[in-house]
Amino acid sequence: MVNYKDLGLVNTREMFKKAVAGGYAIPAFNFNTMEQMQAIVQAAVETKSPVIMQVSKGARNYANATILRYMAEGAVAYAKELGCKNPEIVLHLDHGDSFELCKDCIDMGFSSVMYDGSSLPYEENIKISRQVVEYAHKYDVTVECELGVLAGVEDEVASEVSHYTKPEEVIDFATRTGCDSLAISIGTSHGAYKFKPEQCTRDPKTGKLVPPPLAFDVLHEIEKKLPGFPIVLHGSSSVPQEEVDTINKYGGNLPDAVGIPEEQLREASKSAVCKINIDSDSRLAMTAAIRKYLAEHPDHFDPRQYLKPARENMKKMYIHKIVNVLGSDGKLG
Ligand code: G3H
Ligand code: 13P
Ligand code: ZN
């Protein structure tokens, strides 16, 4: 049993309280590779932002759970080496799909876990969420649960259509589970194809898809029911069109990829939304930089040559999100 406090990590409790009161959101960036970890830490240190580094079940399968845990421990040491005296880094399990997976992460030093029972019947979701909360709280690990279904792929759970969170259920759910934060469905979705073309309109000038707006009315109803309670948005990549265009220009094929407009995420950050999950934008930033570099340097084959601009591009994107979208810069301490 490893306690996250011994690794220099923090849970989300204080972080979220301050974010809700201060009208900003904490970035939750997924990581699978060393370059993503380095870019996240560099961005957080340079902007003096707290940060959540999250690991999906897929990331554990790809990179190995132990390695990712040591990378998070290394992230704390790296942040200090970069000059940050008291980094606030959360190591979070993203979309945990069983009590056992959540327990395994808690036992190996995660400071926060998500139990995602959103695809289960309501009572079953409450039952397992409650079990995870009871175990996690013994070790002062915070727990995110989910109510409502996002369209798209949620790790191993795929859903064609989204079901908005029902505001009339949130008090009962939060009370009976004892969760520390609640992920809700208000129109975001996972991946780089968040909406089908038929759900969007088209910008007549650019020909690009314009997605339907988020359901702010549902968010505000939920806030009224649970004043000050930390709310989480998944599926919040904005799928920057310049990255999509670069990928397509250099041999990729991502037609009609579309995300959540950043102004809407900025708006949500000012409310009780205090954690915003971004994964796909990091994948796009990395892939765009690598495709461009390799197309321009066909004779290069040292991974460090193309991973360096990839890391730089991800860092630029993380800084942009922190400063211009979530507003968590300067909020350390
Ligand atoms: O919500 C899903 C995250 O983007 C993680 O994706 O399961 O492919 O690692 P992944
Ligand atoms: P995106 O696919 O929009 O980046 O969402 C990531 C996410 O919600 C991780 O849990
Ligand atoms: Zn998610």
Side-chain angles (χ1 to χ4, degrees):
M1 174 89 204
V2 181
N3 190 285
Y4 69 88
K5 291 175 189 172
D6 297 330
L7 309 179
L9 298 162
V10 296
N11 69 19
T12 58
R13 197 166 291 117
E14 278 308 303
M15 215 180 249
F16 285 174
K17 208 192 275 177
K18 280 162 55 183
V20 173
Y24 61 92
I26 309 291
F29 298 132
N30 289 69
F31 78 109
N32 295 261
T33 73
M34 182 187 74
E35 289 74 18
Q36 283 175 311
M37 181 276 272
Q38 291 170 315
I40 292 168
V41 174
Q42 290 168 10
V45 169
E46 282 183 31
T47 57
K48 298 185 172 48
S49 174
V51 72
I52 297 170
M53 297 182 59
Q54 53 189 18
V55 168
S56 68
K57 192 173 165 185
R60 282 170 53 109
N61 290 340
Y62 171 75
N64 177 283
T66 307
I67 287 178
L68 289 170
R69 202 278 276 160
Y70 277 102
M71 271 164 68
E73 191 177 348
V76 175
Y78 183 44
K80 288 183 180 164
E81 195 181 306
L82 292 176
C84 180
K85 285 199 181 73
N86 293 305
E88 291 177 21
I89 299 178
V90 173
L91 176 60
H92 175 77
L93 168 68
D94 193 26
H95 294 289
D97 61 357
S98 67
F99 169 78
E100 290 71 25
L101 175 58
C102 294
K103 178 180 180 302
D104 190 51
C105 287
I106 293 164
D107 291 352
M108 73 188 311
F110 280 54
S111 57
S112 174
V113 292
M114 174 191 196
Y115 172 68
D116 179 359
S118 61
S119 61
L120 298 175
Y122 183 72
E123 287 298 330
E124 189 70 6
N125 186 1
I126 290 189
K127 188 175 144 208
I128 305 175
S129 296
R130 176 76 220 156
Q131 195 189 1
V132 172
V133 169
E134 277 172 5
Y135 186 78
H137 282 184
K138 280 192 219 161
Y139 304 98
D140 204 20
V141 169
T142 39
V143 182
E144 173 186 327
C145 295
E146 181 165 340
L147 195 54
V149 179
L150 272 68
V153 180
E154 293 205 47
D155 218 351
E156 320 245 305
V157 184
S159 178
E160 266 289 294
V161 283
S162 78
H163 305 284
Y164 290 165
T165 306
K166 294 184 185 134
E168 63 274 20
E169 288 180 345
V170 297
I171 297 178
D172 181 63
F173 186 85
T175 312
R176 287 173 60 200
T177 60
C179 64
D180 300 284
S181 59
L182 182 65
I184 60 165
S185 170
I186 56 164
T188 61
S189 90
H190 290 99
Y193 293 89
K194 298 196 184 298
F195 304 98
K196 297 199 179 84
E198 54 270 28
Q199 295 174 288
C200 304
T201 52
R202 267 193 205 271
D203 183 321
K205 278 195 207 122
T206 60
K208 296 277 186 190
L209 294 176
V210 179
L214 297 180
F216 278 98
D217 52 336
V218 176
L219 171 61
H220 297 320
E221 272 301 300
I222 291 169
E223 285 183 300
K224 265 192 232 151
K225 303 269 184 196
L226 292 174
F229 194 81
I231 300 297
V232 177
L233 287 188
H234 281 250
S236 296
S237 280
S238 53
V239 186
Q241 291 303 299
E242 61 276 18
E243 305 295 7
V244 173
D245 290 346
T246 302
I247 290 171
N248 290 339
K249 179 174 169 189
Y250 293 104
N253 184 23
L254 299 178
D256 286 340
V258 65
I260 309 296
E262 290 185 335
E263 316 80 72
Q264 292 183 39
L265 296 169
R266 182 73 207 102
E267 191 56 37
S269 301
K270 292 178 187 158
S271 70
V273 170
C274 64
K275 173 177 182 269
I276 291 197
N277 285 12
I278 295 172
D279 186 1
S280 298
D281 284 355
S282 170
R283 298 175 182 195
L284 292 166
M286 187 177 214
T287 301
I290 292 174
R291 278 196 179 277
K292 180 169 188 294
Y293 186 90
L294 289 177
E296 289 173 351
H297 304 88
D299 55 329
H300 286 188
F301 61 94
D302 179 343
R304 291 171 298 188
Q305 291 171 314
Y306 54 84
L307 289 175
K308 200 170 167 196
R311 189 170 58 195
E312 276 306 308
N313 206 33
M314 288 189 287
K315 177 182 169 187
K316 195 173 100 199
M317 183 278 291
Y318 293 135
I319 290 180
H320 165 68
K321 297 289 176 182
I322 288 171
V323 175
N324 301 318
V325 185
L326 282 75
S328 63
D329 51 311
K331 301 297 194 297
L332 269 188

PDB file of all heavy atoms in Angstrom, residues 150-167:
ATOM      1  N   LEU A 150     -22.491  10.346 -21.869  1.00  0.00           N
ATOM      2  CA  LEU A 150     -21.902  11.109 -22.976  1.00  0.00           C
ATOM      3  C   LEU A 150     -21.919  10.245 -24.229  1.00  0.00           C
ATOM      4  O   LEU A 150     -21.677   9.027 -24.138  1.00  0.00           O
ATOM      5  CB  LEU A 150     -20.443  11.469 -22.670  1.00  0.00           C
ATOM      6  CG  LEU A 150     -20.185  12.773 -21.918  1.00  0.00           C
ATOM      7  CD1 LEU A 150     -20.698  12.666 -20.489  1.00  0.00           C
ATOM      8  CD2 LEU A 150     -18.706  13.088 -21.914  1.00  0.00           C
ATOM      9  N   ALA A 151     -22.153  10.871 -25.373  1.00  0.00           N
ATOM     10  CA  ALA A 151     -22.026  10.129 -26.626  1.00  0.00           C
ATOM     11  C   ALA A 151     -20.543   9.919 -26.902  1.00  0.00           C
ATOM     12  O   ALA A 151     -19.696  10.639 -26.371  1.00  0.00           O
ATOM     13  CB  ALA A 151     -22.661  10.917 -27.763  1.00  0.00           C
ATOM     14  N   GLY A 152     -20.213   8.926 -27.696  1.00  0.00           N
ATOM     15  CA  GLY A 152     -18.807   8.679 -28.040  1.00  0.00           C
ATOM     16  C   GLY A 152     -18.240   7.559 -27.208  1.00  0.00           C
ATOM     17  O   GLY A 152     -18.957   6.831 -26.530  1.00  0.00           O
ATOM     18  N   VAL A 153     -16.924   7.446 -27.266  1.00  0.00           N
ATOM     19  CA  VAL A 153     -16.261   6.318 -26.611  1.00  0.00           C
ATOM     20  C   VAL A 153     -15.757   6.763 -25.248  1.00  0.00           C
ATOM     21  O   VAL A 153     -15.008   7.712 -25.130  1.00  0.00           O
ATOM     22  CB  VAL A 153     -15.068   5.828 -27.460  1.00  0.00           C
ATOM     23  CG1 VAL A 153     -14.371   4.663 -26.772  1.00  0.00           C
ATOM     24  CG2 VAL A 153     -15.536   5.421 -28.826  1.00  0.00           C
ATOM     25  N   GLU A 154     -16.214   6.109 -24.191  1.00  0.00           N
ATOM     26  CA  GLU A 154     -15.692   6.370 -22.852  1.00  0.00           C
ATOM     27  C   GLU A 154     -14.878   5.150 -22.491  1.00  0.00           C
ATOM     28  O   GLU A 154     -15.393   4.173 -21.969  1.00  0.00           O
ATOM     29  CB  GLU A 154     -16.821   6.542 -21.840  1.00  0.00           C
ATOM     30  CG  GLU A 154     -17.632   7.784 -22.089  1.00  0.00           C
ATOM     31  CD  GLU A 154     -18.308   8.290 -20.823  1.00  0.00           C
ATOM     32  OE1 GLU A 154     -17.645   8.375 -19.789  1.00  0.00           O
ATOM     33  OE2 GLU A 154     -19.495   8.593 -20.885  1.00  0.00           O
ATOM     34  N   ASP A 155     -13.583   5.221 -22.792  1.00  0.00           N
ATOM     35  CA  ASP A 155     -12.707   4.088 -22.570  1.00  0.00           C
ATOM     36  C   ASP A 155     -13.364   2.864 -23.203  1.00  0.00           C
ATOM     37  O   ASP A 155     -13.590   2.837 -24.380  1.00  0.00           O
ATOM     38  CB  ASP A 155     -12.409   3.908 -21.077  1.00  0.00           C
ATOM     39  CG  ASP A 155     -10.959   3.470 -20.879  1.00  0.00           C
ATOM     40  OD1 ASP A 155     -10.294   3.157 -21.880  1.00  0.00           O
ATOM     41  OD2 ASP A 155     -10.485   3.459 -19.745  1.00  0.00           O
ATOM     42  N   GLU A 156     -13.752   1.861 -22.414  1.00  0.00           N
ATOM     43  CA  GLU A 156     -14.320   0.666 -23.025  1.00  0.00           C
ATOM     44  C   GLU A 156     -15.843   0.768 -23.213  1.00  0.00           C
ATOM     45  O   GLU A 156     -16.464  -0.160 -23.682  1.00  0.00           O
ATOM     46  CB  GLU A 156     -13.995  -0.550 -22.154  1.00  0.00           C
ATOM     47  CG  GLU A 156     -12.587  -0.504 -21.608  1.00  0.00           C
ATOM     48  CD  GLU A 156     -11.673  -1.579 -22.096  1.00  0.00           C
ATOM     49  OE1 GLU A 156     -12.039  -2.747 -21.956  1.00  0.00           O
ATOM     50  OE2 GLU A 156     -10.589  -1.245 -22.616  1.00  0.00           O
ATOM     51  N   VAL A 157     -16.403   1.903 -22.770  1.00  0.00           N
ATOM     52  CA  VAL A 157     -17.857   2.042 -22.872  1.00  0.00           C
ATOM     53  C   VAL A 157     -18.187   2.955 -24.047  1.00  0.00           C
ATOM     54  O   VAL A 157     -17.767   4.098 -24.080  1.00  0.00           O
ATOM     55  CB  VAL A 157     -18.434   2.691 -21.586  1.00  0.00           C
ATOM     56  CG1 VAL A 157     -19.961   2.740 -21.638  1.00  0.00           C
ATOM     57  CG2 VAL A 157     -17.953   1.958 -20.351  1.00  0.00           C
ATOM     58  N   ALA A 158     -18.943   2.453 -25.011  1.00  0.00           N
ATOM     59  CA  ALA A 158     -19.289   3.289 -26.166  1.00  0.00           C
ATOM     60  C   ALA A 158     -20.791   3.504 -26.205  1.00  0.00           C
ATOM     61  O   ALA A 158     -21.570   2.578 -25.965  1.00  0.00           O
ATOM     62  CB  ALA A 158     -18.828   2.608 -27.448  1.00  0.00           C
ATOM     63  N   SER A 159     -21.187   4.744 -26.478  1.00  0.00           N
ATOM     64  CA  SER A 159     -22.613   5.022 -26.563  1.00  0.00           C
ATOM     65  C   SER A 159     -22.878   5.862 -27.795  1.00  0.00           C
ATOM     66  O   SER A 159     -22.163   6.801 -28.080  1.00  0.00           O
ATOM     67  CB  SER A 159     -23.050   5.772 -25.306  1.00  0.00           C
ATOM     68  OG  SER A 159     -24.412   6.075 -25.401  1.00  0.00           O
ATOM     69  N   GLU A 160     -23.911   5.500 -28.519  1.00  0.00           N
ATOM     70  CA  GLU A 160     -24.252   6.220 -29.746  1.00  0.00           C
ATOM     71  C   GLU A 160     -24.843   7.591 -29.444  1.00  0.00           C
ATOM     72  O   GLU A 160     -24.535   8.581 -30.069  1.00  0.00           O
ATOM     73  CB  GLU A 160     -25.298   5.406 -30.521  1.00  0.00           C
ATOM     74  CG  GLU A 160     -24.703   4.487 -31.574  1.00  0.00           C
ATOM     75  CD  GLU A 160     -24.139   5.252 -32.761  1.00  0.00           C
ATOM     76  OE1 GLU A 160     -24.924   5.879 -33.488  1.00  0.00           O
ATOM     77  OE2 GLU A 160     -22.912   5.224 -32.950  1.00  0.00           O
ATOM     78  N   VAL A 161     -25.716   7.606 -28.450  1.00  0.00           N
ATOM     79  CA  VAL A 161     -26.411   8.855 -28.136  1.00  0.00           C
ATOM     80  C   VAL A 161     -26.110   9.288 -26.704  1.00  0.00           C
ATOM     81  O   VAL A 161     -25.798   8.469 -25.849  1.00  0.00           O
ATOM     82  CB  VAL A 161     -27.946   8.697 -28.267  1.00  0.00           C
ATOM     83  CG1 VAL A 161     -28.362   8.705 -29.715  1.00  0.00           C
ATOM     84  CG2 VAL A 161     -28.434   7.458 -27.559  1.00  0.00           C
ATOM     85  N   SER A 162     -26.209  10.605 -26.462  1.00  0.00           N
ATOM     86  CA  SER A 162     -25.989  11.071 -25.097  1.00  0.00           C
ATOM     87  C   SER A 162     -27.330  11.244 -24.396  1.00  0.00           C
ATOM     88  O   SER A 162     -28.351  11.486 -25.027  1.00  0.00           O
ATOM     89  CB  SER A 162     -25.230  12.392 -25.121  1.00  0.00           C
ATOM     90  OG  SER A 162     -26.099  13.445 -25.436  1.00  0.00           O
ATOM     91  N   HIS A 163     -27.304  11.075 -23.081  1.00  0.00           N
ATOM     92  CA  HIS A 163     -28.484  11.375 -22.270  1.00  0.00           C
ATOM     93  C   HIS A 163     -28.044  12.411 -21.263  1.00  0.00           C
ATOM     94  O   HIS A 163     -27.173  12.127 -20.433  1.00  0.00           O
ATOM     95  CB  HIS A 163     -28.982  10.120 -21.539  1.00  0.00           C
ATOM     96  CG  HIS A 163     -29.266   8.972 -22.458  1.00  0.00           C
ATOM     97  ND1 HIS A 163     -30.395   8.941 -23.246  1.00  0.00           N
ATOM     98  CD2 HIS A 163     -28.571   7.853 -22.742  1.00  0.00           C
ATOM     99  CE1 HIS A 163     -30.370   7.827 -23.966  1.00  0.00           C
ATOM    100  NE2 HIS A 163     -29.278   7.155 -23.700  1.00  0.00           N
ATOM    101  N   TYR A 164     -28.606  13.590 -21.355  1.00  0.00           N
ATOM    102  CA  TYR A 164     -28.236  14.632 -20.402  1.00  0.00           C
ATOM    103  C   TYR A 164     -28.502  14.157 -18.978  1.00  0.00           C
ATOM    104  O   TYR A 164     -29.437  13.388 -18.725  1.00  0.00           O
ATOM    105  CB  TYR A 164     -29.054  15.900 -20.654  1.00  0.00           C
ATOM    106  CG  TYR A 164     -28.706  16.653 -21.930  1.00  0.00           C
ATOM    107  CD1 TYR A 164     -29.566  17.626 -22.416  1.00  0.00           C
ATOM    108  CD2 TYR A 164     -27.529  16.394 -22.622  1.00  0.00           C
ATOM    109  CE1 TYR A 164     -29.261  18.330 -23.585  1.00  0.00           C
ATOM    110  CE2 TYR A 164     -27.217  17.090 -23.774  1.00  0.00           C
ATOM    111  CZ  TYR A 164     -28.089  18.047 -24.255  1.00  0.00           C
ATOM    112  OH  TYR A 164     -27.788  18.728 -25.397  1.00  0.00           O
ATOM    113  N   THR A 165     -27.687  14.645 -18.073  1.00  0.00           N
ATOM    114  CA  THR A 165     -27.912  14.390 -16.651  1.00  0.00           C
ATOM    115  C   THR A 165     -29.262  14.978 -16.263  1.00  0.00           C
ATOM    116  O   THR A 165     -29.603  16.095 -16.680  1.00  0.00           O
ATOM    117  CB  THR A 165     -26.796  15.066 -15.835  1.00  0.00           C
ATOM    118  OG1 THR A 165     -25.546  14.597 -16.348  1.00  0.00           O
ATOM    119  CG2 THR A 165     -26.916  14.737 -14.355  1.00  0.00           C
ATOM    120  N   LYS A 166     -30.014  14.231 -15.468  1.00  0.00           N
ATOM    121  CA  LYS A 166     -31.333  14.742 -15.031  1.00  0.00           C
ATOM    122  C   LYS A 166     -31.132  15.526 -13.744  1.00  0.00           C
ATOM    123  O   LYS A 166     -30.786  14.935 -12.705  1.00  0.00           O
ATOM    124  CB  LYS A 166     -32.290  13.576 -14.764  1.00  0.00           C
ATOM    125  CG  LYS A 166     -32.646  12.785 -16.002  1.00  0.00           C
ATOM    126  CD  LYS A 166     -33.669  11.703 -15.659  1.00  0.00           C
ATOM    127  CE  LYS A 166     -33.916  10.836 -16.876  1.00  0.00           C
ATOM    128  NZ  LYS A 166     -33.905   9.409 -16.567  1.00  0.00           N
ATOM    129  N   PRO A 167     -31.370  16.846 -13.757  1.00  0.00           N
ATOM    130  CA  PRO A 167     -31.145  17.650 -12.552  1.00  0.00           C
ATOM    131  C   PRO A 167     -31.900  17.121 -11.329  1.00  0.00           C
ATOM    132  O   PRO A 167     -31.419  17.220 -10.214  1.00  0.00           O
ATOM    133  CB  PRO A 167     -31.634  19.041 -12.959  1.00  0.00           C
ATOM    134  CG  PRO A 167     -31.491  19.068 -14.440  1.00  0.00           C
ATOM    135  CD  PRO A 167     -31.790  17.675 -14.905  1.00  0.00           C
TER     136      PRO A 167
END
